[in-house]
Amino acid sequence: MAPQPRSLNGLVVAITGGARGIGLATARALVREGAKVSLGDIDAALAEREATALGTGNIGLPLDVTDRASFERFLDETEKALGKLDALINNAGVMHMERFLEEDDAAAIRQVDINLHGVIIGSKLALARFTARGSGHLVNIASSAGKFGIAGIATYSATKFAVVGLTEALRTELRGTGVQLSVVMPGIVNTELTDGVTGETRGVKPLNPDDVAAAIVEALQTGRFDVYVPKSLGSIWKTMAILPRRANEAIGRALKSDQVMLDPDKQLRAGYEQRARQSEPRLEAADAPAELPEKAEAG
């Protein structure tokens, strides 16, 4: 008999990138389960407004995931206001959608800093708390692009492959500590990240943020490690993993997964791309790597 899902009532959950999209949908789902949530976001005012809308016992705080001091403050203030941290959901991320040779270096650095380095910093800070207590749950949001390299978002795919690998390595390191880990790998989700995507993948329908939120809630309840959304993606991955590369590529062409992120509508993406460029204050879109200021804290 499968174990009963654990109750999330009263649990304290911190969510990065919590003011929009998957992060906000997850916060709403967790509050319905009785959890208390802390929304961390670069847009502090929006995080505060959304936390207020969630009801008493939830908070919104400023958070720059690329800055260790900011991340530590976020977790400290979460625990001060809500109590012992039970789970961290590393959700914050950006996606610049360009062919690799057209992507400027600042866009690549931004994605690595936020999507990977931010997850590394958050994981270290949360796991230090969790291992000391012998309990806690770290949920890292990756992507199906962390299992299948996707044309048009090469750097984004690279960051998500890294998040999957990081979480798998941590699972081995932390075995027996009482800490639980999950890595969430959704397909295409209807959020701002995919604004302007005009292609379609055969056989896999676009998801809504609530679909991913439900899978995250289930992972917290059950302790599931590999969280594919939809679950059918797991079966697709297992099948493709044993096939020769040529067969894999032929399937990708048949499903049109090799084209779905290529050549988006740039006008429809313009608003998101501008906001994404502002999501790491130290970087401007035209900066060259040699001109970037040094971080005060490398994590």
Side-chain angles (χ1 to χ4, degrees):
M1 180 181 294
Q4 289 294 312
R6 73 163 177 165
S7 171
L8 304 183
N9 188 54
L11 265 62
V12 174
V13 183
I15 306 172
T16 72
R20 294 180 172 87
I22 292 171
L24 182 56
T26 301
R28 290 169 175 160
L30 287 168
V31 168
R32 289 194 294 270
E33 295 291 328
K36 297 179 287 184
V37 300
S38 173
L39 307 182
D41 204 280
I42 197 75
D43 188 338
L46 182 60
E48 290 177 13
R49 288 199 300 273
E50 294 295 353
T52 299
L54 290 172
T56 304
N58 305 292
I59 59 172
L61 297 168
L63 171 62
D64 175 359
V65 298
T66 70
D67 183 281
R68 186 185 182 99
S70 174
F71 216 135
E72 192 151 29
R73 250 188 332 268
F74 168 59
L75 297 183
D76 285 344
E77 291 180 21
T78 295
E79 292 199 317
K80 182 178 179 180
L82 303 181
K84 174 180 65 69
L85 183 69
D86 296 295
L88 170 66
I89 301 174
N90 275 319
N91 166 74
V94 295
M95 181 171 73
H96 292 291
M97 199 176 296
E98 297 170 297
R99 291 173 183 258
F100 186 64
L101 294 181
E102 297 172 3
E103 176 188 69
D104 68 53
D105 291 342
I109 293 167
R110 183 179 298 108
Q111 289 173 100
V112 173
D113 272 0
I114 295 172
N115 300 357
L116 175 57
H117 194 212
V119 171
I120 290 172
I121 292 171
S123 296
K124 286 179 176 178
L125 293 173
L127 290 174
R129 298 163 194 253
F130 295 163
T131 54
R133 300 166 183 160
S135 66
H137 198 143
L138 176 67
V139 179
N140 287 336
I141 309 302
S143 168
S144 59
K147 287 288 191 178
F148 312 92
I150 306 296
I153 52 169
T155 299
Y156 178 85
S157 287
T159 65
K160 295 303 184 177
F161 266 82
V163 170
V164 172
L166 170 72
T167 315
E168 288 177 346
L170 291 175
R171 175 179 167 87
T172 302
E173 283 194 26
L174 297 172
R175 185 175 292 123
T177 63
V179 177
Q180 293 181 299
L181 296 103
S182 299
V183 58
V184 181
M185 296 163 283
I188 295 175
V189 185
N190 289 322
T191 66
E192 289 179 296
L193 267 71
T194 57
D195 279 353
V197 172
T198 56
E200 293 185 1
T201 300
R202 293 172 178 165
V204 180
K205 295 181 179 179
L207 304 162
N208 291 315
D210 287 343
D211 299 320
V212 185
I216 294 170
V217 167
E218 182 185 21
L220 289 169
Q221 291 172 327
T222 64
R224 183 190 298 276
F225 178 76
D226 291 302
V227 183
Y228 292 94
V229 194
K231 290 181 180 178
S232 60
L233 277 178
S235 300
I236 293 171
W237 161 246
K238 289 174 185 177
T239 299
M240 295 185 74
I242 62 175
L243 293 175
R245 179 164 294 279
R246 286 188 178 182
N248 274 331
E249 291 174 348
I251 292 171
R253 288 192 295 273
L255 295 176
K256 294 188 176 181
S257 62
D258 62 334
Q259 299 292 315
V260 69
M261 293 295 187
L262 286 173
D263 304 319
D265 185 318
K266 291 188 177 181
Q267 284 190 325
L268 292 178
R269 279 196 68 74
Y272 170 76
E273 289 285 348
Q274 177 63 28
R275 190 171 67 79
R277 285 194 293 272
Q278 296 170 343
S279 62
E280 190 178 0
R282 73 188 191 93
L283 283 180
E284 296 297 334
D287 283 341
E291 298 169 345
L292 298 177
E294 294 294 327
K295 278 190 188 297
E297 175 59 68

